[in-house]
Amino acid sequence: MAERILIVEDERAVARGLQYALEREGFQVLLAGTAREGSAMAREQMPDLIILDIRLPDGNGFDLCRELRRSLRQPILMLTACDDEVDRVLGLELGADDYVTKPYSLRELIARLRALLRRAYGELSRPNPSERIVFGHIALDLEARRAYRDGKDVGLTATEFKLLAHLAAHPGRIFSRQDLLQAVWGYPDYYGDERTVDVHIRHLREKVEDDPTNPMHLCTVRGLGYSLEL
Ligand code: CA
C-alpha cells in the first residue's frame, strides 16, 4: 500500500511541484490549500505523514501543528521560510517531527520524509519477510505466515493472518473498514461488505485476545475503524 502524504500549502505551484515529485517516488498525495482544509483532511483521510507550510491564508502552520498534535500521532514535517523558525517548530510545544527550510531541494525533502516514515512505522511498512512482529503474548512470523500465542500456533486463516499483520505493521494507526477491504482483500474503493471486516476481527479476537469481549490489542475506534495497540 502506498504511503499517503498530506501537503498543506497554499502556493499552488509549490504544492503541485511537490505532489508531482512525491507521486513519482510512489507516494499517494493529498493536497490542502488552507489550514481549515488541512485540519479536516488530516482527520478524515488519516495520511501517514503531514507536510505543513507555516504561512497559510487562514492561519498558520504553528497553530495547525499544535492542533493536530493533540489528536494525531503521524509524523509532521514543517516547511519553514527562515532558520529563525526552527527552534519553535521542533520545540516541545509544537511537536513537529522535522522541518526543511525554503528553498529546499526536493531530494533532501524526500530523504527526510522517508526517514520520518521509517522512524514512525519502522521497516514494517515494507515488511521484510524474515521479520517477526510481537505484541502482548502474540508473535507474528511474517515468513511462515503464522501467529503464535505464548509459543503455540493459534491457527489463523490466510486472510486472518493478512489482516492481523497489516494492522500490526502500523501499531496505533486507525484503519477504516474500507482501508482494510482494499489492503487485505484487494477490493477497490467502496466495494465489498464492511461486515466482512467486522467478522474477521471478531474471529481474530477469539484467537489472540485474552478476553475477546474486552480486547486489549485489536481495538475498535468508534465511527472510524480498527487499530492495533501494542
Ligand atoms: Ca504559504
Side-chain angles (χ1 to χ4, degrees), residues 165-230:
H166 187 73
L167 290 165
H170 306 273
R173 176 168 153 186
I174 302 163
F175 291 93
S176 70
R177 291 170 177 81
Q178 284 293 335
D179 290 339
L180 295 170
L181 283 171
Q182 274 186 62
V184 177
W185 279 265
Y187 295 147
D189 254 340
Y190 305 109
Y191 186 80
D193 187 337
E194 297 191 345
R195 279 171 304 181
T196 306
V197 179
D198 299 334
V199 170
H200 278 81
I201 293 279
R202 204 163 68 225
H203 292 164
L204 276 175
R205 283 177 177 154
E206 295 288 340
K207 293 180 180 182
V208 306
E209 293 283 357
D210 289 342
D211 175 3
T213 58
N214 184 23
M216 303 301 288
H217 302 296
L218 285 162
C219 300
T220 302
V221 185
R222 195 181 288 272
L224 293 174
Y226 295 104
S227 76
L228 185 130
E229 302 300 329
L230 293 178

Side-chain angles (χ1 to χ4, degrees), residues 8-11 53-57 102:
V8 188
E9 162 69 271
D10 58 316
E11 286 156 83
D53 184 33
I54 287 185
R55 273 165 263 289
L56 295 165
K102 289 178 170 180

Side-chain angles (χ1 to χ4, degrees), residues 11-218:
E11 286 156 83
R12 274 186 87 80
V14 175
R16 293 273 176 195
L18 255 178
Q19 176 181 24
Y20 178 74
L22 293 180
E23 283 177 351
R24 231 178 23 184
E25 295 286 320
F27 295 106
Q28 258 183 51
V29 175
L30 305 160
L31 291 183
T34 62
R36 176 193 287 248
E37 204 186 343
S39 168
M41 286 175 85
R43 274 162 230 292
E44 287 157 18
Q45 311 278 333
M46 286 288 160
D48 296 293
L49 181 144
I50 300 163
I51 298 177
L52 265 187
D53 184 33
I54 287 185
R55 273 165 263 289
L56 295 165
D58 59 338
N60 66 57
F62 296 127
D63 293 337
L64 180 54
C65 185
R66 194 181 298 118
E67 181 207 319
L68 293 177
R69 263 291 160 264
R70 279 201 283 265
S71 55
L72 298 179
R73 280 187 268 175
Q74 287 96 327
I76 297 177
L77 179 117
M78 304 225 24
L79 304 177
T80 64
C82 60
D83 286 325
D84 297 349
E85 292 167 335
V86 169
D87 284 350
R88 194 167 165 209
V89 164
L90 296 183
L92 281 177
E93 188 215 351
L94 283 188
D97 296 277
D98 203 358
Y99 69 94
V100 291
T101 303
K102 289 178 170 180
Y104 48 82
S105 88
L106 278 173
R107 257 181 66 184
E108 187 195 341
L109 179 86
I110 288 166
R112 297 282 193 96
L113 187 144
R114 285 201 187 285
L116 280 179
L117 288 168
R118 265 200 308 277
R119 217 191 296 161
Y121 306 110
E123 296 297 342
L124 303 177
S125 51
R126 295 173 198 289
N128 169 350
S130 66
E131 244 181 304
R132 291 166 78 82
I133 301 177
V134 178
F135 59 92
H137 298 279
I138 304 296
L140 298 185
D141 182 332
L142 298 179
E143 194 169 31
R145 305 185 68 74
R146 287 174 189 279
Y148 299 91
R149 187 192 157 91
D150 295 324
K152 266 174 68 183
D153 190 339
V154 299
L156 299 187
T157 66
T159 301
E160 286 166 358
F161 182 85
K162 202 170 167 190
L163 175 59
L164 184 59
H166 187 73
L167 290 165
H170 306 273
R173 176 168 153 186
I174 302 163
F175 291 93
S176 70
R177 291 170 177 81
Q178 284 293 335
D179 290 339
L180 295 170
L181 283 171
Q182 274 186 62
V184 177
W185 279 265
Y187 295 147
D189 254 340
Y190 305 109
Y191 186 80
D193 187 337
E194 297 191 345
R195 279 171 304 181
T196 306
V197 179
D198 299 334
V199 170
H200 278 81
I201 293 279
R202 204 163 68 225
H203 292 164
L204 276 175
R205 283 177 177 154
E206 295 288 340
K207 293 180 180 182
V208 306
E209 293 283 357
D210 289 342
D211 175 3
T213 58
N214 184 23
M216 303 301 288
H217 302 296
L218 285 162

